[in-house]
Amino acid sequence: MDLKSLIRDVPDFPKPGIVFKDITTLLNHPEGLRYTIDALAEKCAPLAIDYIIGIESRGFIFGMPLAYKMNRGFVPVRKRGKLPAAVYSAEYALEYGTDQIEMHQDAMRSGSRVLIVDDLIATGGTAAAAAKLVGQADCEIAGFAFIIELLFLEGRKNLPDVPIITMLDY
Ligand code: AMP
């Protein structure tokens, strides 16, 4: 399956100089979508995970069907202020300033092995912040899974030394 042909490049979005990797064209292709989730599940199977974390919001789109397919619980990591119960928080850098992501404190049993999922890794800052939340919950990071990796940004250097599963690199 030629997944790259299903990803649309949108130049100068959200601002000049950025080439946005648009996954909506993959999502509305039935065979491409099924192949993506099935292949990810196969690649992630050896990691022996207990939970899958999806990072808001495109990490939900891929993390949830992956959790369903792998028969594991799904944990949403959300932007600040969205989760109703007690949360752990982690800060990450934006171009100007910082933002926070949060996870419910009771989302996972301590000691669980966790897979962190997002659509794309650029600088790795967002995924590294999600990794901090896993640490706060006394859980272990089993690995990361991304559909797309932007190799030239070397984001994996900012992640802990665990398996990083990807489908496409640029
Ligand atoms: P980073 O924290 O730099 O790894 O950025 C990752 C987050 O930003 C992911 O949630 C991506 O969805 C989004 N992102 C960053 N760069 C791009 C891009 N070129 N195209 C699409 N999404 C991007």
Side-chain angles (χ1 to χ4, degrees):
M1 172 80 58
D2 180 13
L3 283 188
K4 268 196 180 172
S5 69
L6 299 178
I7 306 286
R8 172 167 57 189
D9 281 357
V10 182
D12 300 320
F13 183 89
K15 55 186 188 183
I18 304 285
V19 179
F20 192 86
K21 297 290 180 194
D22 178 19
I23 49 99
T24 64
T25 39
L26 166 63
L27 296 177
N28 71 21
H29 189 281
E31 294 83 20
L33 178 57
R34 180 171 293 274
Y35 174 82
T36 302
I37 300 302
D38 289 351
L40 259 190
E42 216 166 277
K43 288 180 184 227
C44 294
L47 300 180
I49 55 174
D50 300 307
Y51 292 97
I52 291 179
I53 280 184
I55 305 176
E56 183 171 0
S57 59
R58 277 168 278 152
F60 297 173
I61 294 176
F62 294 103
M64 235 307 294
L66 187 62
Y68 180 86
K69 173 101 189 164
M70 296 181 76
N71 196 27
R72 295 294 184 271
F74 177 77
V75 177
V77 160
R78 300 212 59 184
K79 307 270 165 65
R80 179 185 21 203
K82 302 283 189 183
L83 288 170
V87 294
Y88 297 120
S89 287
E91 216 169 60
Y92 61 103
L94 298 174
E95 195 172 3
Y96 301 103
T98 60
D99 209 346
Q100 276 169 30
I101 51 175
E102 298 180 335
M103 182 180 78
H104 274 149
Q105 290 184 4
D106 61 359
M108 305 184 292
R109 285 181 310 279
S110 67
S112 299
R113 286 173 56 82
V114 182
L115 177 74
I116 296 174
V117 178
D118 205 354
D119 67 325
L120 180 147
I121 176 168
T123 66
T126 314
K132 285 191 216 157
L133 296 175
V134 173
Q136 289 178 63
D138 278 324
C139 290
E140 194 184 329
I141 300 160
F144 294 86
F146 306 97
I147 309 303
I148 299 168
E149 178 173 14
L150 301 183
L151 290 172
F152 55 95
L153 292 172
E154 301 186 326
R156 53 171 73 218
K157 285 190 179 162
N158 295 318
L159 300 184
D161 185 20
V162 295
I164 300 173
I165 312 273
T166 62
M167 300 286 293
L168 302 171
D169 14 86
Y170 293 86

